[in-house]
Amino acid sequence: MWQVALRKVFRKKIPLICGLIIAAFLMVAFAAQFMGFGAAWDIPVGGQYLPPDFSDFKMWLGTDILGRSVMYKTIQGTRVALSVGIITAVLSAPIGIIFGMISGYFGGFIDEVIVWFITTLSSIPNILLLIAISYTMGRGMTAVYIALTATSWISLARILRGEVIKHKQKEYLVAAEALGVGHTQRIFKHLLPNVTHQIILSMTFMVEIAIRSEVLLSYLGLGVQNLPSWGKMIDDAKGELSTGVWWQLTGATVAMFLLMFAINVLGDYVRDALDPRAHV
Amino acid sequence: MWTYLIRRFLYSIPILFGVSLVVFSLFHLVGGDPATILLGKHATAERVAMVRAELGLDQPLSHQFVNYLREVVTFDFGKSYATREDIRTKIANGIGPTLFLTVPAFILTALLSLSIALIVSYYRGRWIDRLSLVFFVIIMSLPSLAYILFGQFILASKMGWFPISGYGATFSERIYFVTLPVLISIALNLGSDIRFFRNSVIEEVTSDYVRTARAKGVSETMIYLKHVLKNSMVPVLTYIVIQIPYLVLGSLLLESFFSIPGIGGMTIEAVNNSDFPVLKAMTTFISIVFILSTLLTDVLYRLVDPRMKFGK
């Protein structure tokens, strides 16, 4: 179902452009992570607070207080943001899938315990849970990954639980049971393909929320420590604006805006394509 | 009805216990030694031992948990580590300023986005609708920090239209200080609200009974006033109501940027000061408020929604 929907989505122009934007971000992050793109961000390339100069790539966004290239910092920030987004989604999706499907499929006591756990975790406002986890685990990336994973799986588990309960009564599952298909096979071969689109959609939003949260945590000084991050760049910009230095804020804001915009729009199109009743 | 009320009320007890368990294990088990986080890595052993004793961290875990449960039940969270203030007084002082910021922002956002959503959905599919959809996705996609910095720097500092930060003693002074943060808060939430409301309204407009009404010759305006408005309010109200508990939490960033002495600003301050007891108390307190407001809304829904009355 979702393969058809994706093919339908990418035949249109706007979602295709959004997909290309996301792909470009992924490529920048990949190059920064594995090929040393922008790795020289901590080496001064000129004087303090030089304005943007378009003749030289590393000067496109000027320099910061230590004369470092803001362009390189933005590139390294992209790497941090995307790795947080992707790692969070990859780690929390299996947790959400397992808890949600088991809870909805088996019902009874297991369901009650899992629902209790989910309700408990969602009674603590997300942002406080994030802050509390990354504060107590010590500042740094590992804490950010754990904090975001611990909070992101909850909504997916809840959505899947509802979906599975809905599907459980459908003929194809009843038929599978009548034919003597076991639980494991029924869950993985019959149920899972029917909820894959929900998982994909949820993971898109996990990436978005994770990137937003990373920026916030880094801004609070709880996030990444030895690498540039969009949040830290915006934090720097707080003091710079009054002296007329706007390029650091612009670099981080534009980068984050483009990525969020592309994810939002693409997510909309995918959701509409998956939902036959949706209205564009 | 009464059995439902009692059952629903009793259900919040295991949730409250669960929250206490999670918060306790976060602050006492999972993390490193809070005394070391507080004092930094280079503190002497005696200092660490002293702080541990002061925070009750030298007692066995079971004792610590019982102590913490007592704190939760009595709402007595001890003293702030950084300022020595009583945390309960701190929270009580913070609620006023927080609500002064969040309540007007919440009401105005709801009214504004609902009106815009109604207008936009009336022109659904036409250029005004498409254009505004793009516009609101753009609004949604900008980082919240950018709004705050832009507002504070351009509108307050450069233009001088608003005070840069602060909070007044009198009502009119407070309004003067709170206007810009309220406006920013509206801008932050407008996009996602409008999109949700628009979809709820359109869901209703394109439903079968509306098509029948239209076929019978009922005018579009009448359809809106008599049918759509009423029925689309169910998802809209649910969406609005679930935001109410967040009002007490306030906006962490707005309060800290505009120096509004509320709950959110205090939380950020606690992070910056590594104020372990305050951070723990804030997390617990907000979660309790959360549990109580969900309880209240569930009960109210039960009372208000006629469809619920015939259920079990």
Side-chain angles (χ1 to χ4, degrees):
Chain A
M1 175 185 181
W2 55 274
Q3 295 98 324
V4 181
L6 281 189
R7 221 172 298 137
K8 211 165 73 189
V9 164
F10 282 116
R11 225 176 280 141
K12 291 184 193 131
K13 221 181 283 165
I14 297 170
L16 186 67
I17 293 170
C18 291
L20 289 177
I21 293 176
I22 296 172
F25 270 92
L26 281 171
M27 263 148 65
V28 169
F30 185 84
Q33 180 80 43
F34 299 108
M35 297 178 323
F37 186 37
W41 66 274
D42 54 350
I43 300 161
V45 292
Q48 182 184 30
Y49 290 144
L50 291 177
D53 171 10
F54 289 106
S55 58
D56 184 0
F57 176 71
K58 61 179 179 285
M59 301 299 283
W60 275 13
L61 286 168
T63 61
D64 70 353
I65 186 167
L66 297 171
R68 299 178 298 195
S69 159
V70 175
M71 192 69 206
Y72 285 168
K73 281 174 83 177
T74 312
I75 290 165
Q76 290 292 319
T78 307
R79 159 193 170 187
V80 170
L82 282 181
S83 51
V84 166
I86 293 169
I87 291 179
T88 305
V90 168
L91 289 182
S92 42
I95 305 177
I97 293 170
I98 291 171
F99 275 103
M101 296 195 70
I102 287 181
S103 180
Y105 184 81
F106 289 108
F109 182 68
I110 303 177
D111 182 38
E112 266 171 46
V113 172
I114 293 177
V115 168
W116 168 77
F117 191 51
I118 290 177
T119 322
T120 295
L121 281 184
S122 37
S123 298
I124 308 171
N126 226 323
I127 181 72
L128 284 181
L129 197 57
L130 274 176
I131 290 178
I133 296 176
S134 32
Y135 170 81
T136 52
M137 305 275 302
R139 293 150 204 257
M141 283 310 261
T142 324
V144 171
Y145 292 141
I146 295 174
L148 283 168
T149 305
T151 50
S152 304
W153 66 273
I154 302 170
S155 64
L156 175 61
R158 185 175 283 160
I159 293 169
L160 284 187
R161 177 179 175 269
E163 282 291 306
V164 169
I165 289 175
K166 228 163 51 189
H167 276 276
K168 226 165 67 175
Q169 275 113 33
K170 294 210 172 143
E171 287 91 344
Y172 75 96
L173 269 184
V174 179
E177 193 185 356
L179 287 170
V181 179
H183 286 310
T184 332
Q185 238 196 338
R186 254 184 283 161
I187 292 178
F188 288 105
K189 268 192 91 172
H190 300 281
L191 267 176
L192 199 59
N194 280 303
V195 292
T196 313
H197 61 287
Q198 293 285 359
I199 297 172
I200 292 177
L201 215 54
S202 278
M203 283 175 80
T204 323
F205 294 112
M206 276 180 201
V207 172
E208 190 195 334
I209 292 169
I211 291 175
R212 279 180 191 276
S213 310
E214 187 274 323
V215 170
L216 194 66
L217 287 174
S218 295
Y219 170 76
L220 291 176
L222 289 170
V224 55
Q225 297 297 315
N226 302 316
L227 277 173
S229 126
W230 294 340
K232 284 207 299 204
M233 289 171 71
I234 297 179
D235 186 30
D236 288 349
K238 200 167 60 169
E240 292 169 358
L241 278 180
S242 50
T243 54
V245 178
W246 47 267
W247 37 92
Q248 181 138 245
L249 178 68
T250 311
T253 306
V254 170
M256 188 169 162
F257 166 72
L258 274 178
L259 184 58
M260 293 293 112
F261 184 78
I263 293 179
N264 270 324
V265 174
L266 189 61
D268 275 0
Y269 274 94
V270 173
R271 190 181 14 213
D272 287 346
L274 289 169
D275 179 6
R277 292 182 311 137
H279 322 281
V280 184
Chain B
M1 188 70 211
W2 280 106
T3 36
Y4 170 76
L5 282 183
I6 293 166
R7 222 179 34 202
R8 182 62 190 83
F9 186 76
L10 288 179
Y11 188 61
S12 22
I13 294 173
I15 301 295
L16 186 61
F17 181 77
V19 167
S20 313
L21 203 62
V22 170
V23 174
F24 178 81
S25 16
L26 261 182
F27 281 90
H28 290 251
L29 279 177
V30 178
D33 183 13
T36 326
I37 300 180
L38 271 172
L39 296 168
K41 279 176 194 143
H42 308 294
T44 60
E46 297 98 76
R47 276 292 282 148
V48 172
M50 236 173 74
V51 172
R52 285 179 66 85
E54 189 187 333
L55 296 175
L57 297 170
D58 51 348
Q59 290 167 7
L61 270 180
S62 54
H63 273 236
Q64 291 184 36
F65 187 56
V66 172
N67 279 344
Y68 173 63
L69 281 185
R70 190 178 305 134
E71 285 179 14
V72 172
V73 175
T74 58
F75 253 66
D76 185 0
F77 295 107
K79 284 186 168 42
S80 150
Y81 183 78
T83 58
R84 301 278 152 197
E85 277 171 281
D86 183 38
I87 296 178
R88 200 162 31 171
T89 332
K90 224 173 138 69
I91 291 178
N93 291 337
I95 291 180
T98 289
L99 292 181
F100 207 90
L101 166 66
T102 52
V103 171
F106 170 70
I107 296 173
L108 288 175
T109 311
L111 288 178
L112 195 62
S113 42
L114 198 54
S115 337
I116 296 179
L118 281 172
I119 296 171
V120 165
S121 61
Y122 191 86
Y123 294 105
R124 64 194 168 277
R126 282 194 255 171
W127 64 270
I128 184 166
D129 177 39
R130 281 163 194 277
L131 200 70
S132 60
L133 270 185
V134 175
F135 178 69
F136 292 120
V137 180
I138 292 176
I139 281 194
M140 265 172 73
S141 305
L142 280 165
S144 41
L145 282 164
Y147 280 96
I148 297 173
L149 280 180
F150 175 83
Q152 200 165 37
F153 179 65
I154 306 279
L155 302 180
S157 183
K158 267 272 162 75
M159 303 290 202
W161 292 347
F162 302 98
I164 293 175
S165 74
Y167 191 68
T170 62
F171 188 76
S172 51
E173 255 177 48
R174 284 177 190 174
I175 291 184
Y176 169 71
F177 278 113
V178 130
T179 310
L180 181 59
V182 165
L183 288 178
I184 295 177
S185 175
I186 295 175
L188 283 176
N189 297 313
L190 205 60
S192 49
D193 279 19
I194 289 177
R195 275 157 48 99
F196 182 84
F197 295 163
R198 171 188 173 272
N199 284 346
S200 312
V201 173
I202 288 184
E203 185 101 352
E204 217 50 57
V205 176
T206 47
S207 62
D208 290 340
Y209 77 93
V210 169
R211 204 173 46 189
T212 312
R214 211 174 278 134
K216 276 165 58 188
V218 183
S219 75
E220 195 70 19
T221 326
M222 274 315 271
I223 287 175
Y224 256 79
L225 290 178
K226 280 199 81 166
H227 302 292
V228 173
L229 205 54
K230 233 197 245 164
N231 284 321
S232 60
M233 279 310 111
V234 178
V236 167
L237 276 180
T238 312
Y239 182 88
I240 292 176
V241 163
I242 52 167
Q243 295 178 23
I244 289 176
Y246 285 99
L247 297 182
V248 183
L249 171 61
S251 166
L252 276 71
L253 290 176
L254 281 174
E255 284 180 20
S256 111
F257 265 94
F258 289 95
S259 315
I260 293 164
I263 303 279
M266 280 177 199
T267 311
I268 298 231
E269 201 185 279
V271 174
N272 290 336
N273 295 337
S274 279
D275 202 334
F276 173 84
V278 172
L279 202 53
K280 194 172 81 178
M282 287 297 182
T283 316
T284 316
F285 167 71
I286 306 281
S287 309
I288 294 175
V289 172
F290 232 78
I291 296 169
L292 290 180
S293 17
T294 1
L295 172 70
L296 202 68
T297 39
D298 277 6
V299 170
L300 282 180
Y301 258 89
R302 192 76 177 197
L303 292 174
V304 170
D305 195 336
R307 281 172 304 181
M308 296 283 198
K309 279 198 184 128
F310 300 102
K312 29 177 178 166

Coordinates of all heavy atoms in Angstrom, one line a residue, chain A residues 208-260:
Chain A
E208 N 11.6 14.8 12.8 CA 11.4 16.3 12.9 C 11.5 16.7 14.4 O 12.2 17.6 14.7 CB 10.0 16.6 12.3 CG 9.9 18.1 12.2 CD 8.4 18.5 12.0 OE1 7.6 17.8 11.5 OE2 8.1 19.7 12.4
I209 N 10.7 15.9 15.2 CA 10.7 16.3 16.7 C 12.1 16.2 17.3 O 12.5 17.0 18.1 CB 9.7 15.5 17.4 CG1 8.3 15.9 16.9 CG2 9.8 15.7 18.9 CD1 7.2 15.0 17.4
A210 N 12.8 15.1 16.9 CA 14.2 14.9 17.4 C 15.1 16.1 17.1 O 15.8 16.6 17.9 CB 14.7 13.6 16.9
I211 N 15.0 16.5 15.8 CA 15.9 17.6 15.4 C 15.5 18.9 16.2 O 16.4 19.6 16.7 CB 15.8 17.8 13.9 CG1 16.5 16.6 13.2 CG2 16.5 19.1 13.5 CD1 16.3 16.6 11.7
R212 N 14.2 19.2 16.3 CA 13.8 20.4 17.0 C 14.3 20.3 18.5 O 14.8 21.2 19.1 CB 12.3 20.5 17.0 CG 11.7 21.1 15.8 CD 10.2 21.2 15.9 NE 9.6 21.5 14.7 CZ 9.4 22.8 14.2 NH1 9.9 23.8 15.0 NH2 8.9 23.0 13.1
S213 N 14.2 19.1 19.1 CA 14.5 18.9 20.5 C 16.0 19.0 20.7 O 16.5 19.6 21.7 CB 14.1 17.6 21.0 OG 12.7 17.4 20.7
E214 N 16.8 18.5 19.7 CA 18.3 18.6 19.8 C 18.7 20.1 19.8 O 19.5 20.5 20.6 CB 18.9 17.9 18.6 CG 20.4 17.8 18.7 CD 21.1 19.0 18.1 OE1 20.7 19.6 17.1 OE2 22.2 19.4 18.7
V215 N 18.1 20.9 18.9 CA 18.4 22.3 18.9 C 18.1 22.9 20.3 O 18.9 23.7 20.8 CB 17.6 23.0 17.8 CG1 17.7 24.5 17.9 CG2 18.1 22.5 16.4
L216 N 17.0 22.6 20.8 CA 16.6 23.1 22.1 C 17.5 22.7 23.2 O 18.0 23.5 24.0 CB 15.2 22.7 22.5 CG 14.5 23.4 23.6 CD1 14.3 24.9 23.2 CD2 13.2 22.8 23.9
L217 N 17.9 21.4 23.3 CA 18.7 20.9 24.3 C 20.1 21.5 24.2 O 20.8 21.8 25.2 CB 18.8 19.3 24.2 CG 17.6 18.6 24.7 CD1 17.7 17.1 24.5 CD2 17.3 18.8 26.2
S218 N 20.6 21.6 22.9 CA 22.0 22.2 22.7 C 21.9 23.6 23.2 O 22.9 24.1 23.8 CB 22.4 22.1 21.3 OG 22.5 20.8 20.9
Y219 N 20.8 24.3 22.9 CA 20.7 25.7 23.3 C 20.8 25.7 24.9 O 21.4 26.7 25.4 CB 19.4 26.3 22.8 CG 19.1 27.6 23.4 CD1 19.8 28.7 23.0 CD2 18.2 27.7 24.5 CE1 19.5 29.9 23.6 CE2 18.0 28.9 25.1 CZ 18.6 30.0 24.6 OH 18.4 31.2 25.2
L220 N 20.2 24.8 25.6 CA 20.2 24.8 27.0 C 21.6 24.3 27.6 O 21.8 24.2 28.8 CB 19.1 23.9 27.6 CG 17.7 24.4 27.4 CD1 16.7 23.3 27.9 CD2 17.5 25.7 28.1
G221 N 22.5 23.9 26.6 CA 23.8 23.4 27.1 C 23.8 21.9 27.5 O 24.7 21.4 28.1
L222 N 22.7 21.2 27.1 CA 22.6 19.8 27.5 C 22.9 18.9 26.4 O 23.1 17.7 26.6 CB 21.1 19.5 28.0 CG 20.7 20.1 29.3 CD1 19.3 19.9 29.6 CD2 21.5 19.5 30.5
G223 N 23.0 19.5 25.2 CA 23.2 18.6 24.0 C 24.7 18.3 23.7 O 25.5 18.1 24.6
V224 N 25.0 18.3 22.4 CA 26.3 18.0 21.9 C 27.3 19.0 22.5 O 27.0 20.2 22.7 CB 26.3 18.1 20.4 CG1 25.8 19.4 19.9 CG2 27.6 17.8 19.8
Q225 N 28.5 18.4 22.9 CA 29.5 19.3 23.6 C 30.6 19.8 22.7 O 30.9 21.0 22.8 CB 30.0 18.5 24.8 CG 29.0 18.2 25.8 CD 28.3 19.4 26.5 OE1 29.0 20.3 26.9 NE2 27.0 19.4 26.6
N226 N 31.2 18.9 21.9 CA 32.5 19.3 21.2 C 32.3 19.5 19.8 O 33.2 19.6 19.0 CB 33.6 18.3 21.5 CG 33.8 18.1 22.9 OD1 33.9 19.1 23.6 ND2 33.9 16.9 23.4
L227 N 31.0 19.6 19.3 CA 30.8 19.8 17.9 C 29.8 21.0 17.8 O 29.1 21.3 18.7 CB 30.1 18.6 17.3 CG 31.0 17.5 16.8 CD1 30.1 16.3 16.4 CD2 31.8 17.9 15.7
P228 N 29.9 21.7 16.6 CA 28.9 22.8 16.5 C 27.5 22.2 16.3 O 27.3 21.1 15.8 CB 29.3 23.5 15.2 CG 30.5 22.8 14.7 CD 30.7 21.6 15.5
S229 N 26.5 23.0 16.7 CA 25.1 22.5 16.5 C 24.3 23.8 16.2 O 24.7 24.9 16.6 CB 24.6 21.8 17.7 OG 23.4 22.3 18.2
W230 N 23.2 23.6 15.5 CA 22.3 24.7 15.2 C 21.9 25.4 16.4 O 21.8 26.7 16.5 CB 21.1 24.3 14.3 CG 21.5 23.7 13.0 CD1 22.7 24.0 12.3 CD2 20.7 22.9 12.2 NE1 22.7 23.3 11.1 CE2 21.5 22.6 11.0 CE3 19.5 22.3 12.3 CZ2 21.0 21.8 10.0 CZ3 19.0 21.5 11.2 CH2 19.8 21.3 10.1
G231 N 21.6 24.7 17.5 CA 21.1 25.3 18.7 C 22.2 26.1 19.3 O 21.9 27.3 19.8
K232 N 23.4 25.6 19.3 CA 24.5 26.4 19.9 C 24.8 27.7 19.1 O 25.2 28.7 19.6 CB 25.8 25.6 20.0 CG 25.7 24.6 21.2 CD 27.0 24.2 21.8 CE 27.9 23.5 20.8 NZ 28.9 22.6 21.5
M233 N 24.6 27.5 17.8 CA 24.9 28.7 16.9 C 23.8 29.8 17.2 O 24.2 31.0 17.2 CB 24.8 28.3 15.4 CG 26.0 27.5 15.0 SD 25.8 26.8 13.3 CE 25.9 28.2 12.3
I234 N 22.6 29.4 17.4 CA 21.5 30.4 17.7 C 21.8 31.0 19.1 O 21.6 32.2 19.3 CB 20.1 29.7 17.6 CG1 19.9 29.2 16.2 CG2 19.1 30.7 18.1 CD1 18.5 28.6 16.0
D235 N 22.3 30.1 20.0 CA 22.7 30.7 21.3 C 23.8 31.7 21.2 O 23.7 32.8 21.8 CB 23.1 29.5 22.2 CG 23.4 29.9 23.6 OD1 22.7 30.9 24.1 OD2 24.2 29.3 24.3
D236 N 24.8 31.5 20.4 CA 25.8 32.5 20.1 C 25.2 33.7 19.6 O 25.6 34.9 19.9 CB 26.9 31.9 19.1 CG 27.7 30.8 19.7 OD1 27.7 30.7 20.9 OD2 28.4 30.2 18.9
A237 N 24.3 33.5 18.6 CA 23.7 34.7 17.9 C 23.0 35.7 18.9 O 22.9 36.8 18.6 CB 22.7 34.2 16.8
K238 N 22.6 35.1 20.0 CA 21.8 36.0 21.0 C 22.7 37.2 21.3 O 22.1 38.3 21.5 CB 21.6 35.1 22.2 CG 20.5 35.6 23.1 CD 20.1 34.5 24.1 CE 21.3 34.1 25.0 NZ 20.9 33.3 26.2
G239 N 24.0 37.0 21.5 CA 24.8 38.1 21.9 C 25.3 38.9 20.7 O 25.7 40.0 20.8
E240 N 25.3 38.3 19.5 CA 25.9 38.9 18.3 C 25.0 39.9 17.6 O 25.5 40.8 17.0 CB 26.3 37.8 17.3 CG 27.4 36.9 17.8 CD 27.5 35.7 16.8 OE1 26.7 35.5 15.9 OE2 28.4 34.8 17.1
L241 N 23.7 39.6 17.7 CA 22.7 40.5 17.0 C 22.9 42.0 17.2 O 22.9 42.8 16.3 CB 21.3 40.0 17.3 CG 20.8 38.8 16.5 CD1 19.4 38.5 16.9 CD2 20.9 39.1 15.0
S242 N 23.1 42.3 18.5 CA 23.2 43.7 18.8 C 24.4 44.4 18.2 O 24.5 45.6 18.1 CB 23.2 43.9 20.3 OG 24.2 43.1 20.9
T243 N 25.5 43.6 17.8 CA 26.6 44.2 17.2 C 26.5 44.1 15.7 O 27.5 44.4 14.9 CB 27.9 43.5 17.6 OG1 27.8 42.1 17.4 CG2 28.2 43.7 19.1
G244 N 25.3 43.7 15.2 CA 25.1 43.6 13.8 C 25.6 42.4 13.1 O 25.6 42.3 11.9
V245 N 25.9 41.3 13.8 CA 26.4 40.1 13.2 C 25.2 39.2 13.1 O 24.7 38.6 14.0 CB 27.5 39.4 14.1 CG1 27.9 38.1 13.5 CG2 28.7 40.3 14.3
W246 N 24.7 39.1 11.9 CA 23.4 38.3 11.6 C 23.7 37.0 11.0 O 22.8 36.1 10.9 CB 22.5 39.1 10.8 CG 23.2 39.7 9.6 CD1 23.7 41.0 9.5 CD2 23.4 39.1 8.3 NE1 24.3 41.1 8.2 CE2 24.1 40.0 7.5 CE3 23.1 37.8 7.8 CZ2 24.5 39.7 6.2 CZ3 23.5 37.5 6.5 CH2 24.2 38.5 5.7
W247 N 24.9 36.7 10.5 CA 25.1 35.6 9.6 C 25.1 34.2 10.3 O 24.6 33.2 9.8 CB 26.4 35.7 8.8 CG 27.6 36.3 9.4 CD1 28.5 35.7 10.1 CD2 27.9 37.7 9.5 NE1 29.4 36.6 10.6 CE2 29.1 37.9 10.2 CE3 27.3 38.9 9.0 CZ2 29.7 39.1 10.5 CZ3 27.9 40.1 9.3 CH2 29.0 40.2 10.0
Q248 N 25.5 34.2 11.6 CA 25.5 32.9 12.3 C 24.0 32.5 12.5 O 23.6 31.3 12.3 CB 26.2 33.0 13.6 CG 26.2 31.7 14.4 CD 27.5 31.4 15.0 OE1 28.2 30.5 14.7 NE2 28.0 32.2 16.0
L249 N 23.2 33.4 13.0 CA 21.7 33.2 13.1 C 21.1 32.7 11.8 O 20.4 31.7 11.7 CB 21.0 34.4 13.7 CG 19.5 34.2 13.9 CD1 19.2 33.3 15.0 CD2 18.8 35.6 14.2
T250 N 21.5 33.4 10.7 CA 20.9 33.1 9.4 C 21.3 31.7 9.0 O 20.4 31.0 8.5 CB 21.4 34.1 8.4 OG1 21.2 35.4 8.9 CG2 20.6 34.0 7.1
G251 N 22.5 31.4 9.1 CA 23.0 30.0 8.7 C 22.2 28.9 9.4 O 21.6 28.1 8.8
A252 N 22.1 29.0 10.7 CA 21.4 28.0 11.5 C 19.9 28.0 11.2 O 19.3 26.9 11.0 CB 21.7 28.1 13.0
T253 N 19.3 29.2 11.1 CA 17.9 29.2 10.9 C 17.5 28.8 9.6 O 16.5 28.0 9.4 CB 17.4 30.7 11.1 OG1 17.9 31.2 12.4 CG2 15.9 30.8 11.1
V254 N 18.2 29.2 8.5 CA 17.8 28.8 7.2 C 18.0 27.3 7.0 O 17.1 26.6 6.4 CB 18.7 29.6 6.1 CG1 18.4 29.0 4.7 CG2 18.3 31.1 6.2
A255 N 19.1 26.8 7.5 CA 19.3 25.3 7.4 C 18.2 24.6 8.0 O 17.6 23.6 7.4 CB 20.7 25.0 8.0
M256 N 17.9 24.9 9.3 CA 16.8 24.2 10.0 C 15.5 24.4 9.3 O 14.7 23.4 9.2 CB 16.8 24.7 11.4 CG 15.9 23.8 12.3 SD 16.1 24.2 14.0 CE 14.6 23.5 14.6
F257 N 15.2 25.6 8.9 CA 13.9 25.9 8.2 C 13.7 25.1 7.0 O 12.7 24.4 6.8 CB 13.8 27.4 7.9 CG 12.7 27.7 7.0 CD1 11.4 27.6 7.4 CD2 12.9 28.0 5.6 CE1 10.3 27.9 6.6 CE2 11.9 28.2 4.8 CZ 10.6 28.2 5.2
L258 N 14.8 25.0 6.1 CA 14.6 24.3 4.9 C 14.3 22.8 5.2 O 13.4 22.2 4.6 CB 15.9 24.3 4.1 CG 16.1 25.5 3.2 CD1 17.5 25.5 2.5 CD2 15.0 25.5 2.1
L259 N 15.0 22.2 6.1 CA 14.8 20.8 6.4 C 13.5 20.6 7.0 O 12.7 19.6 6.6 CB 15.9 20.4 7.4 CG 15.9 18.9 7.8 CD1 16.1 18.0 6.5 CD2 17.0 18.6 8.7
M260 N 13.0 21.4 8.0 CA 11.7 21.2 8.6 C 10.6 21.4 7.6 O 9.6 20.7 7.5 CB 11.5 22.3 9.7 CG 12.4 22.1 10.9 SD 12.1 20.6 11.8 CE 13.6 19.7 11.5

